[in-house]
Amino acid sequence: MHTQDLTISTTFEGQKKYFASGKTLALAVRKAQLKKLKEILQANEDRLYKAIYSDFRKSIFDTYTTEISILYHEIDEAISKLSTWAKTQKVSTNWVNFPAKSYVIKEPLGVALIIGAWNYPYQLLLSPAIAAIAAGCTAILKPSELSSATSALMAELINEHFDPGFLYVHEGGVSETTELLTLSWNKIFFTGSVRVGRIVYEAAAKNLVPVTLELGGKSPAVITEECDLSMTVKRLVWAKYLNAGQTCIAPDYVMVHKNIADDFITAMQREISKECFSIENGNYVQIINNHNLSRLSSLIDYEQVAIGGTIDEHARVIEPTVLYPASFQSKAMKEEIFGPILPVIVYDQLETVIRQINTGEKPLAAYIFTSDSIKRDLFLNQVSFGGGCVNDAIMHISNSALPFGGVGSSGIGAYHGKAGFDCFSHTKSILQKSTLIELNLKYYPHTPSKLNWVRRILKLS
Ligand code: NAD
């Protein structure tokens, strides 16, 4: 069966029926489906590598470390922890309800729509799908049309091996997504830009569909005088130029203290040349398409180029580029960069940095490189952002115990590990009363003595 063999309304209605049949409820069934997904990925690993290389020349090493291994981990963790995550949890009961017991039941939300972005095409589509399966949902997946080879491969693999009532991939772009968004889903999980996030949120509101929005924004990296400079630069260079900067949580720009700014740039120069970023070396990728290539090239102010700046239009490659000294007025500071261009802004006072970051939208990630715990705490307590690291960048995403998501315009909700299970689950609260006794205080007639008792009991509750 091919991906476009079924219409959107057919698969949607099919999934509603499948979910209503209760087939996804047994934990053993969910675990078996997750195991099956892992086996499909393992059996087709070579094809997964080839497809992503064809989309934007990503190497096997980077694809394994930043996509496939994460999916295997998410599946293994879900299988091993599902019984605990899904367990009905007892909670305390207040005196007013005595005698009774109270508990919360995790129930699957139902039929989910998962829309992915192109930059980590496997992880961004299948990781939420793993969470949906673990939670007992059915799901329709819509990969990004920009990474067409990975989109086609995921459609082929999923649609050949799974019942479309349970899991199905609909390929397509704006018109297909627009059609999908008109339906009454039980959950929409979207990864992509803030602009499209608004469209998704608006469409979801019409049917009161709960959403998780994994969006973007400008993620700062702040470097204080007290940092370990060589370690900072090593980790920062890796994080910025991984996937040629096309990473939602890549450091978008750097703010460096004035006393170490020149040394920082010299160390950046050394580290970038040591890393030898290139597609041939397997540690660099193409810019996804010509549209993004020209958008990125327009963000480079050549008077500010301190490192790199060369663009190979034919190969769709932009050299690792550093703009220094940049300012908040620089062109590259006007939008999320999402490419291998790093503006470096010099600062004097950390308080000013915090104020400047807080005047913009809340970032998806933020990083502080420092050994000064007072500055670290000041930053962590006064800047609101989705998640981040102290003395590193990007790596917080590799710990599935840390819920991953944005805040404000960088997103709504979070996933990975248990947070993923929770995001596709409803927490149903139950008060289970005993029929042995009834205090009768709430019933007519409402006497002064009853009111006294009510006051006493409510104080105890
Ligand atoms: P995008 O918003 O252009 O596309 C995302 C998805 O939305 C795609 O599947 C696309 O087909 C669909 N889409 C595009 N236009 C649409 C429209 N008008 N109506 C309905 N659907 C539409 O994003 P992108 O270019 O694929 O990804 C880049 C953005 O995603 C960046 O802003 C990046 O920060 C963000 N991102 C966020 C995360 C995260 O986890 N928070 C991860 C990756 C990327």
Side-chain angles (χ1 to χ4, degrees):
M1 191 182 302
H2 285 102
T3 175
Q4 305 303 3
D5 287 347
L6 298 174
T7 64
I8 285 171
S9 59
T10 310
T11 42
F12 179 71
E13 292 305 322
Q15 292 218 348
K16 282 211 298 199
K17 280 201 195 96
Y18 193 100
F19 181 76
S21 76
K23 283 183 196 163
T24 63
L25 291 181
L27 299 191
V29 171
R30 301 185 203 173
K31 289 181 191 175
Q33 299 283 18
L34 289 168
K35 191 164 164 268
K36 179 172 158 184
L37 178 60
K38 186 172 177 189
E39 283 164 2
I40 294 165
L41 295 175
Q42 283 174 324
N44 291 280
E45 246 190 58
D46 281 348
R47 296 183 68 199
L48 296 169
Y49 295 136
K50 281 190 186 117
I52 203 163
Y53 188 82
S54 143
D55 276 338
F56 53 105
R57 305 281 180 266
K58 189 159 168 167
S59 68
I60 292 177
F61 186 92
D62 277 359
T63 306
Y64 184 77
T65 53
T66 67
E67 303 234 44
I68 308 297
S69 67
I70 291 174
L71 294 174
Y72 290 163
H73 172 80
E74 287 277 330
I75 292 174
D76 292 343
E77 186 181 17
I79 290 174
S80 74
K81 296 189 179 158
L82 186 54
S83 311
T84 315
W85 294 346
K87 210 172 180 170
T88 294
Q89 276 174 0
K90 217 172 157 240
V91 297
S92 61
T93 301
N94 54 356
W95 279 102
V96 170
N97 287 301
F98 182 79
K101 58 182 177 179
S102 304
Y103 45 90
V104 288
I105 299 172
K106 290 286 184 184
E107 70 174 21
L109 282 174
V111 181
L113 170 65
I114 297 172
I115 302 171
W118 58 266
N119 57 326
Y120 291 86
Y122 299 130
Q123 196 213 124
L124 297 177
L125 197 74
L126 297 180
S127 182
I130 291 163
I133 296 171
C137 293
T138 67
I140 289 180
L141 316 181
K142 211 298 288 173
S144 169
E145 71 283 19
L146 299 191
S147 45
S148 55
T150 52
S151 169
L153 181 58
M154 285 190 285
E156 183 196 319
L157 297 179
I158 301 283
N159 297 352
E160 261 179 17
H161 291 97
F162 286 95
D163 186 321
F166 174 66
L167 194 63
Y168 194 79
V169 174
H170 269 295
E171 289 192 90
V174 176
S175 70
E176 290 79 3
T177 318
T178 306
E179 183 182 346
L180 284 162
L181 286 172
T182 60
L183 301 170
S184 288
W185 302 94
N186 300 117
K187 171 83 189 184
I188 295 178
F189 187 106
F190 171 80
T191 303
S193 61
V194 175
R195 181 185 69 83
V196 181
R198 284 182 213 280
I199 296 172
V200 172
Y201 203 11
E202 215 177 307
K206 290 206 177 105
N207 294 314
L208 289 179
V209 180
V211 294
T212 296
L213 301 177
E214 296 283 340
L215 310 177
K218 289 186 83 63
S219 300
V222 176
I223 302 172
T224 79
E225 276 180 282
E226 301 78 11
C227 74
D228 174 332
L229 192 62
S230 68
M231 187 65 86
T232 297
V233 167
K234 192 177 173 73
R235 291 177 177 169
L236 194 71
V237 163
W238 176 84
K240 177 66 191 184
Y241 299 108
L242 175 74
N243 221 33
Q246 300 168 117
T247 304
C248 57
I249 49 171
D252 184 273
Y253 64 101
V254 163
M255 298 195 71
V256 63
H257 191 270
K258 66 178 173 47
N259 291 353
I260 57 165
D262 288 342
D263 291 346
F264 171 75
I265 295 296
T266 309
M268 287 288 289
Q269 230 145 10
R270 208 178 310 124
E271 185 62 25
I272 288 172
S273 76
K274 193 172 131 210
E275 277 296 312
C276 300
F277 288 104
S278 75
I279 287 165
E280 296 67 38
N281 292 338
N283 58 355
Y284 214 52
V285 297
Q286 287 180 312
I287 303 303
I288 187 69
N289 56 20
N290 288 330
H291 170 76
N292 269 312
L293 189 81
S294 63
R295 179 186 67 78
L296 285 165
S297 60
S298 77
L299 299 181
I300 302 177
D301 179 341
Y302 278 90
E303 287 185 0
Q304 292 176 349
V305 171
I307 302 169
T310 309
I311 299 175
D312 181 340
E313 282 187 18
H314 178 69
R316 287 209 320 269
V317 170
I318 300 180
E319 208 186 350
T321 297
V322 175
L323 307 178
Y324 172 76
S327 74
F328 278 91
Q329 279 63 51
S330 301
K331 282 186 281 183
M333 291 302 293
K334 301 295 173 208
E335 59 183 73
E336 178 185 1
I337 296 171
F338 214 58
I341 300 165
L342 184 66
V344 176
I345 299 172
V346 178
Y347 75 88
D348 188 3
Q349 297 292 325
L350 187 61
E351 288 74 8
T352 323
V353 169
I354 291 172
R355 223 176 304 121
Q356 270 162 328
I357 295 172
N358 286 343
T359 58
E361 299 290 357
K362 294 183 179 186
L364 178 60
Y367 307 109
I368 181 154
F369 292 84
T370 189
S371 59
D372 183 322
S373 57
I374 295 175
K375 289 182 180 169
R376 175 200 66 204
D377 292 348
L378 189 74
F379 184 81
L380 295 182
N381 293 327
Q382 297 202 356
V383 180
S384 178
F385 54 92
C389 309
V390 175
N391 292 320
D392 208 343
I394 289 190
M395 292 306 290
H396 59 299
I397 199 174
S398 68
N399 180 1
S400 61
L402 292 171
F404 180 82
V407 58
S409 77
S410 58
I412 296 172
Y415 73 132
H416 289 175
K418 182 173 183 297
F421 173 85
D422 287 341
C423 112
F424 286 94
S425 302
H426 166 61
T427 303
K428 193 157 67 183
S429 297
I430 305 296
L431 173 75
Q432 185 175 313
K433 294 282 287 251
S434 159
T435 52
L436 290 179
I437 54 167
E438 177 65 317
L439 291 177
N440 280 329
L441 291 174
K442 66 188 176 195
Y443 303 106
Y444 187 78
H446 293 158
T447 62
S449 130
K450 275 188 180 177
L451 185 57
N452 267 339
W453 274 108
V454 169
R455 283 188 205 278
R456 278 189 209 172
I457 288 173
L458 287 181
K459 264 189 200 158
L460 286 175
S461 290

